[in-house]
Amino acid sequence: MTDLDFRQDASYPVAGPQNTNLADILERVLDKGIVIAGDIKIDLLDIELLTIRLRLFVASVDTAKKAGIDWWETDPALSSHAARNALQDENRELRRRLEQWESGSEQPASSEQ
């Protein structure tokens, strides 16, 4: 029996492709995060007309917060809490300006006397 015959008879586990389903892949991506980046340039006769830079970060909320990304919490269009805060800030500023105007310390810009 030769070495070649011996190796063929031995039953070594052969590593094949692993079966992963979409849920496993999605869980892994959301856990670790993934960045997709690309640029689109439109030139005409060697003159750059338009450049669009695309950056996409796909991750879970927890992973994004760990990366220091939490803009959705302060965007009034995405967060009702942020919208309330924005309205409260605007209301506070308008009240302050009204009190200044009523006390006479600041004249309205449209008033010409």
Side-chain angles (χ1 to χ4, degrees), residues 5-70:
D5 294 334
F6 178 75
R7 278 188 245 131
Q8 287 176 350
D9 290 339
S11 57
Y12 294 108
V14 177
Q18 296 179 351
N19 290 335
T20 56
N21 59 20
L22 184 60
D24 292 338
I25 294 170
L26 185 60
E27 182 180 348
R28 189 175 305 146
V29 166
L30 292 177
D31 184 44
K32 301 292 182 187
I34 186 171
V35 175
I36 300 170
D39 295 335
I40 299 171
K41 287 187 177 185
I42 299 175
D43 295 342
L44 180 63
L45 301 174
D46 292 331
I47 299 172
E48 186 175 316
L49 298 177
L50 178 68
T51 298
I52 300 173
R53 304 190 108 197
L54 302 171
R55 304 295 180 259
L56 177 65
F57 178 62
V58 179
S60 67
V61 171
D62 293 334
T63 303
K65 284 184 178 181
K66 288 177 188 174
I69 301 170
D70 61 354

